[in-house]
Amino acid sequence: MKGIITKYINELIIYDYILFGGLLVIFLLFIIIGIILRNRVGLALFFILLAFTQLAVGSTYGYIKMHEYLFKNEISITTQKKLTFTQAIVIYGTIKNISKKDFASCKITANVYKVSENKFKDYVLKLKPINKMSIIENDIPVGQEHEIKLIIEPFTYEHDYNISIGADCK
């Protein structure tokens, strides 16, 4: 657990510090307003609850949305093939940097999941993939496109399936 937290802190960028600092200031402001309004219990509790809610939800949602905006990319699958001589799927695709910053690294993840006739069940099946594979692609300048190749193995599923691909860039 200590290693995960250390890695997360080491990967923070200046915009993350600005986001978390701003949320901390707003949190403290709401807490101070709640303390000032302590004679009005309902209003004071509302501001204190609002402070903790914005701290939890704002930091999570803000971090996700900010990184989606700053590290915008387009990723697509060009071809996919289930191999007959081995239990594997080969996926060829492309990733393009459409942000305004160079990417130092991108973690590209392909998920294989079951397909059903029910659209609600399909949504649930996407949450628990059959198989998953990730690769790291380094140094993608602004506007550049890189070809990628992923091999998902072992893959023994015989029925209908779908593949989704996504990238988390920094």
Side-chain angles (χ1 to χ4, degrees):
M1 185 67 171
K2 181 181 176 185
I4 294 171
I5 294 171
T6 305
K7 181 182 176 193
Y8 177 77
I9 290 172
N10 288 337
E11 290 182 356
L12 291 177
I13 58 176
I14 188 70
Y15 297 112
D16 295 328
Y17 290 111
I18 293 169
L19 172 71
F20 295 143
L23 288 171
L24 183 64
V25 168
I26 293 170
F27 170 78
L28 292 173
L29 181 69
F30 283 151
I31 292 292
I32 291 170
I33 291 172
I35 292 170
I36 291 172
L37 297 173
R38 68 182 172 268
N39 295 334
R40 294 180 169 172
V41 177
L43 199 55
L45 286 175
F46 171 74
F47 275 106
I48 290 173
L49 186 63
L50 185 65
F52 284 105
T53 303
Q54 74 86 27
L55 188 64
V57 174
S59 60
T60 305
Y61 186 75
Y63 180 84
I64 291 169
K65 287 299 179 184
M66 183 177 63
H67 279 258
E68 282 178 7
Y69 176 76
L70 289 176
F71 302 108
K72 200 172 206 179
N73 61 63
E74 285 181 354
I75 189 160
S76 62
I77 298 174
T78 47
T79 59
Q80 64 181 357
K81 184 176 182 180
K82 185 174 180 183
L83 302 178
T84 56
F85 56 87
T86 186
Q87 296 175 340
I89 299 175
V90 179
I91 302 168
Y92 293 97
T94 58
I95 182 167
K96 184 176 183 180
N97 180 352
I98 57 173
S99 72
K100 296 178 182 174
K101 301 179 83 157
D102 293 338
F103 296 158
S105 69
C106 286
K107 181 179 181 182
I108 301 163
T109 305
N111 294 313
V112 181
Y113 54 92
K114 296 177 186 178
V115 178
S116 74
E117 308 237 345
N118 185 337
K119 67 179 180 177
F120 298 113
K121 190 174 180 181
D122 279 343
Y123 180 76
V124 172
L125 290 172
K126 284 182 183 181
L127 300 175
K128 189 171 190 308
I130 302 168
N131 226 336
K132 186 177 186 177
M133 180 64 185
S134 296
I135 62 169
I136 303 283
E137 197 64 38
N138 293 318
D139 300 323
I140 303 174
V142 175
Q144 292 292 319
E145 189 173 292
H146 280 215
E147 291 186 10
I148 54 173
K149 177 182 174 182
L150 287 116
I151 300 173
I152 300 175
E153 61 180 346
F155 185 75
T156 58
Y157 190 69
E158 296 295 326
H159 303 290
D160 197 17
Y161 60 89
N162 277 341
I163 298 174
S164 66
I165 191 166
D168 181 28
C169 299
K170 303 235 183 280

